[in-house]
Amino acid sequence: MNGNLLSTSDLDREGIDEILEVADRMAEINSRRIPRVPALRGRTVVSLFFEDSTRTRISFETAAKRLSADVMGFSVGTSSVKKGESVRDTIETIEAMGVDAIVVRHGSSGVPEMVARWARSAVVNAGDGWHSHPTQALLDAYTIRARFGSLEGLRIGIVGDVLHSRVARSDIEVFTELGARVTLVAPPTLLPPSLEPWEVSVSHDLDEVLPDLDVCYLLRMQRERMTEALIPSLREYTALYGLTARRLANMEPTAVVMHPGPMNRGVEIADEVAESPRALVTDQVANGVAVRMAVLYLLLGPGRDALGPVVELAEEAT
Ligand code: NCD
């Protein structure tokens, strides 16, 4: 990861496999009665969220705490950013307090890269604009691997608002790197103008694609990022692309449904589908903690070789 995790395009197959393998060890820690090891004791992780988040922020903070790091939360809404302080000054202020990692989310693409240029600490991208959301893609890959054993040869449909979605961009990169065959399913107006350099196929017909999928990955309709009318109406979108119970019944019995959250129930996903055991949404959330522990450990911890002794150290023994 070269000291930072900024984008999925920086990760090759070996790098992804390493994170997923370390995440397996972290998942084992999370299953303990006291899910905490002293791997990052004395290290400080700050979460710097310029954009709203529920699960990603709590997930990173939980991950850091389970590794015994100190965690500083920074809410833009109650900070001097509201008084006009720049991102650069904010970073300098935070670094002066002595931190080891900055987890940053921002509405503009490229901000984590800029932060990494200014900061001495490790920088982890928790989602920037439409660009990248690397830990989401890693936890999605982890979840699929946990269910199917491997992504090699799996058929994954990514359905919906690909145009505005950093999750889609990162998922495409990680899923194809791990050998999956990805089909984007969306109306033409919700696809990026160019799909290069991705190796994906495209369909505008969900009903045609569904019976062939192992994984149907639904994206949230990102209404806050839509500045123009790209679909006639949400009702029409749902009629063509919403995953309803009827559509779920046309999928293979072993096929699963995923969604990064937050879900727009009744738009891209019907209530019955969200509640169905075929939906892995809560697995995704749980696995997110293990994957983020792995990322923080690999960036800040004593190294891969020390992992064995570190994970053996139960909280009671420390
Ligand atoms: C996503 C995000 O913020 O990029 N959510 C998440 O991190 N779980 C997806 C979204 O907002 O649609």
Side-chain angles (χ1 to χ4, degrees):
M1 284 188 280
N2 276 334
N4 300 309
L5 178 58
L6 300 177
S7 163
T8 29
S9 42
D10 304 338
L11 292 170
D12 57 11
R13 186 164 190 151
E14 208 178 306
I16 298 168
D17 283 340
E18 179 177 47
I19 295 168
L20 301 188
E21 277 156 31
V22 174
D24 276 332
R25 309 296 299 271
M26 300 301 171
E28 189 272 309
I29 294 170
N30 289 340
S31 68
R32 295 179 191 169
R33 195 171 58 81
I34 301 179
R36 188 188 275 262
V37 292
L40 298 185
R41 184 180 279 166
R43 304 301 211 113
T44 301
V45 176
V46 59
S47 59
L48 186 59
F49 279 60
F50 293 92
E51 202 191 72
D52 297 342
S53 165
T54 307
R55 72 214 82 226
T56 304
R57 178 176 186 149
I58 295 174
S59 179
F60 267 110
E61 294 184 0
T62 304
K65 285 181 183 160
R66 292 194 173 169
L67 296 172
S68 304
D70 294 317
V71 178
M72 296 202 289
F74 176 101
S75 292
V76 168
T78 53
S79 74
S80 294
V81 170
K82 278 269 178 249
K83 299 181 188 165
E85 190 167 33
S86 69
V87 177
R88 185 165 194 162
D89 287 339
T90 306
I91 299 297
E92 272 174 20
T93 306
I94 288 169
E95 284 225 310
M97 297 180 199
V99 302
D100 299 289
I102 301 174
V103 176
V104 60
R105 166 170 286 195
H106 201 286
S108 301
S109 302
V111 168
E113 260 104 345
M114 276 158 53
V115 172
R117 260 184 268 137
W118 300 324
R120 289 176 303 278
S121 333
V123 177
V124 182
N125 182 359
D128 62 329
W130 304 3
H131 171 232
S132 195
H133 194 351
T135 56
Q136 179 71 44
L138 290 164
L139 76 87
D140 288 334
Y142 185 91
T143 304
I144 298 171
R145 175 175 163 277
R147 172 59 67 117
F148 293 95
S150 150
L151 276 75
E152 197 67 62
L154 286 187
R155 297 153 307 171
I156 304 180
I158 299 182
V159 184
D161 185 4
V162 178
L163 177 65
H164 299 101
S165 177
R166 55 195 174 209
V167 174
R169 287 178 177 72
S170 287
D171 274 352
I172 291 166
E173 285 173 354
V174 169
F175 295 170
T176 52
E177 187 70 34
L178 296 179
R181 287 185 280 147
V182 173
T183 304
L184 306 181
V185 188
T189 48
L190 291 181
L191 287 169
S194 160
L195 296 173
E196 272 183 70
W198 300 327
E199 285 181 32
V200 292
S201 30
V202 172
S203 167
H204 308 306
D205 187 343
L206 180 61
D207 289 308
E208 191 180 81
V209 170
L210 273 179
D212 293 329
L213 296 180
D214 298 299
V215 178
C216 179
Y217 194 102
L218 301 169
L219 299 167
R220 183 173 65 87
M221 285 298 279
Q222 307 216 1
R223 280 173 281 182
E224 79 280 16
R225 295 194 208 280
M226 288 190 194
T227 48
E228 58 209 290
L230 294 172
I231 49 166
S233 74
L234 281 179
R235 273 233 335 264
E236 274 174 81
Y237 176 83
T238 306
L240 290 173
Y241 295 98
L243 193 61
T244 54
R246 185 182 60 76
R247 288 199 166 111
L248 182 66
N250 289 334
M251 294 180 70
E252 292 274 356
T254 51
V256 296
V257 177
M258 296 173 68
H259 192 298
M263 293 185 278
N264 289 311
R265 286 171 182 253
V267 180
E268 68 267 359
I269 187 166
D271 264 329
E272 305 93 293
V273 178
E275 309 295 333
S276 130
R278 308 267 297 278
L280 304 186
V281 181
T282 47
D283 296 31
Q284 290 171 267
V285 175
N287 293 335
V289 176
V291 164
R292 291 177 174 119
M293 287 167 78
V295 167
L296 292 174
Y297 179 83
L298 288 167
L299 288 173
L300 301 181
R304 188 87 208 263
D305 295 342
L307 189 60
V310 163
V311 300
E312 294 319 321
L313 280 174
E315 173 81 337
E316 289 97 325
T318 62

